[in-house]
Amino acid sequence: MKILMVCLGNICRSPMAEGIMRLKIEQYELAATVDSAGTSNYHEGEHPDKRSILNGKKHNVDISQLVSRPFTTADFDQFDVIYAMDSENMKNIIRLARNETDKAKVKLILNEIYPATNKAVPDPYFGGEGGFENVFNLLDEACEVIAKKIKQ
Ligand code: 4NP
């Protein structure tokens, strides 16, 4: 199972999702890999936002070495499931889909914990520290569900 986590900048939410999921893959010894990307190239080549790195550290999730990259059509060939952080990200990913197989790979990550509600992982970029803690908790819960599904 090859998993891709996607947000807008690939510096706040999706690197956190990648770090959390990687830890669960190790802990549960899952036959899975995880990567992340952004629907924009605004921060291409940059490490995650300092606030995401700090929040991760607090929870023993090291994302300091990750590097932002934009999502491309080729990712549909490389990954089995593509988790978008919000509906806008999902729309922009689907815009690049070539067929129904590509489209079927794209899901909203919070539907894993709140099925069919299409909730967003709130973008913490313009907010304070509390936003990052909230993002961590939501993603930790979602990745736990994903991990348990893979384990089954
Ligand atoms: P992310 O957060 O999509 O969770 O990485 C953002 C990062 C950068 C911007 C917006 C959201 N930006 O506008 O530069």
Side-chain angles (χ1 to χ4, degrees):
M1 173 68 71
K2 294 181 184 169
I3 302 166
L4 184 66
M5 304 295 194
V6 181
C7 62
L8 173 61
N10 192 210
I11 56 166
C12 295
R13 292 167 291 176
S14 61
M16 188 65 88
E18 179 182 346
I20 293 167
M21 195 66 226
R22 178 163 294 121
L23 207 60
K24 297 203 187 282
I25 288 169
E26 287 169 17
Q27 285 168 347
Y28 290 99
E29 299 181 325
L30 305 176
T33 63
V34 64
D35 190 13
S36 66
T39 56
S40 76
N41 62 1
Y42 303 157
H43 296 275
E44 188 171 2
E46 295 176 20
H47 291 303
D49 188 287
K50 286 195 169 58
R51 297 165 295 175
S52 259
I53 293 175
L54 267 176
N55 189 270
K57 271 208 179 105
K58 188 176 134 188
H59 297 281
N60 291 315
V61 177
D62 182 7
I63 59 167
S64 62
Q65 298 310 308
L66 300 182
V67 177
S68 173
R69 70 159 179 98
F71 178 87
T72 70
T73 305
D75 287 314
F76 287 113
D77 299 322
Q78 296 300 317
F79 295 94
D80 301 304
V81 58
I82 297 165
Y83 283 114
M85 298 296 129
D86 63 41
S87 303
E88 191 64 24
N89 303 153
M90 184 154 171
K91 225 187 323 178
N92 287 322
I93 296 164
I94 284 178
R95 201 170 279 152
L96 295 173
R98 299 154 298 185
N99 50 47
E100 293 306 313
T101 309
D102 286 355
K103 279 185 199 172
K105 292 183 175 186
V106 192
K107 298 178 182 185
L108 278 171
I109 193 163
L110 290 192
N111 279 352
E112 294 290 345
I113 36 178
Y114 309 112
T117 55
N118 300 340
K119 287 183 197 296
V121 178
D123 186 345
Y125 188 65
F126 294 106
E129 292 298 328
F132 286 81
E133 182 67 10
N134 181 43
V135 165
F136 183 92
N137 289 326
L138 289 169
L139 291 175
D140 189 56
E141 211 180 320
C143 289
E144 185 70 21
V145 173
I146 295 166
K148 286 189 170 138
K149 274 190 187 169
I150 296 171
K151 187 96 182 151
Q152 276 172 4

